[in-house]
Amino acid sequence: MDPDSADKTSFSTRSGHWKFLRMPFGLCNAPSTYVMALSKLLHKELNENALIYLDDVIFFSRTFDAHLDLLKSVFQKFRSANLRLNAVKSFFCKPEVVYLGHRFNAQGISIDENKTKAIRTFPRPKNVKELRSFLGLANYWRRFICSFSAISSPLRELLLRDVPFKWTDIQEQTSF
């Protein structure tokens, strides 16, 4: 955090006047400012070998040796930017990682099983609003579901304007 900006984060309590020396995440623009700073710092690695979401960063490589080289480069960048890693929250060289509901491993990207369980155990919709809610949830994972549009077609038919909401065996047999 810019030392000149510390006064802008000051606040008073009964025990005195205080100001932040580091950017607190409670400020409205702190997460986006931090992501922007990380994006500038890791611009070469982004989308090629790294993903950033708020204060989480994931690094990935095709080979173990390439991964070690990447980590060495990233650690040097973090050191030069005076950024520190939280050792308790950090994991290194794992063959499989669950990140933001996705499972990353040598075979590629797939859905985390906990997320598919949420789709499978979703209660049967009783009205159009609940059906839209379910389709919104399922639609997020459509890239992982083969023939998603064909599978969801019987459900989407209930969303048509002049079609009454009537759950039948056709909708019941729809499974993701």
Side-chain angles (χ1 to χ4, degrees):
M1 188 164 105
D2 183 9
D4 297 334
S5 299
D7 290 336
K8 296 174 185 168
T9 66
S10 63
F11 59 96
S12 296
T13 67
R14 289 182 197 160
S15 59
H17 191 72
W18 305 89
K19 61 183 175 182
F20 288 98
L21 301 178
R22 294 185 178 88
M23 182 180 292
F25 262 62
L27 298 178
C28 67
N29 293 329
S32 60
T33 302
Y34 184 70
V35 168
M36 187 173 65
L38 276 180
S39 297
K40 285 182 181 178
L41 182 68
L42 301 172
H43 70 279
K44 288 183 180 177
E45 292 82 5
L46 273 182
N47 298 329
E48 195 72 29
N49 296 98
L51 296 171
I52 300 172
Y53 181 76
L54 297 179
D55 64 338
D56 288 334
V57 184
I58 183 172
F59 298 99
F60 45 90
S61 305
R62 297 230 180 256
T63 66
F64 185 73
D65 290 335
H67 197 65
L68 292 178
D69 291 340
L70 173 67
L71 289 177
K72 183 178 179 182
S73 167
V74 167
F75 290 160
Q76 185 59 41
K77 286 182 179 188
F78 275 41
R79 187 176 294 117
S80 68
N82 200 23
L83 293 174
R84 297 191 181 123
L85 299 175
N86 184 339
V88 175
K89 294 172 73 178
S90 300
F91 303 95
F92 300 99
C93 303
K94 295 183 79 168
E96 184 172 272
V97 177
V98 175
Y99 183 71
L100 300 176
H102 297 83
R103 185 172 299 279
F104 294 81
N105 56 31
Q107 288 72 41
I109 303 172
S110 61
I111 305 174
D112 179 26
E113 291 302 315
N114 291 332
K115 300 301 177 187
T116 59
K117 188 170 101 178
I119 293 172
R120 278 191 244 110
T121 61
F122 199 90
R124 179 188 303 153
K126 296 180 183 83
N127 53 45
V128 172
K129 184 178 179 182
E130 290 179 6
L131 179 58
R132 281 195 182 115
S133 177
F134 172 74
L135 287 172
L137 170 67
N139 192 48
Y140 179 81
W141 302 103
R142 76 178 302 142
R143 71 178 265 214
F144 299 104
I145 302 171
C146 187
S147 303
F148 178 83
S149 60
I151 294 170
S152 64
S153 178
L155 300 178
R156 287 184 286 115
E157 286 176 9
L158 292 177
L159 299 177
L160 297 175
R161 180 171 294 182
D162 295 326
V163 174
F165 187 87
K166 186 174 180 186
W167 195 266
T168 64
D169 290 340
I170 296 169
Q171 285 82 22
E172 192 64 37
Q173 292 170 1
T174 302
S175 63
F176 288 96

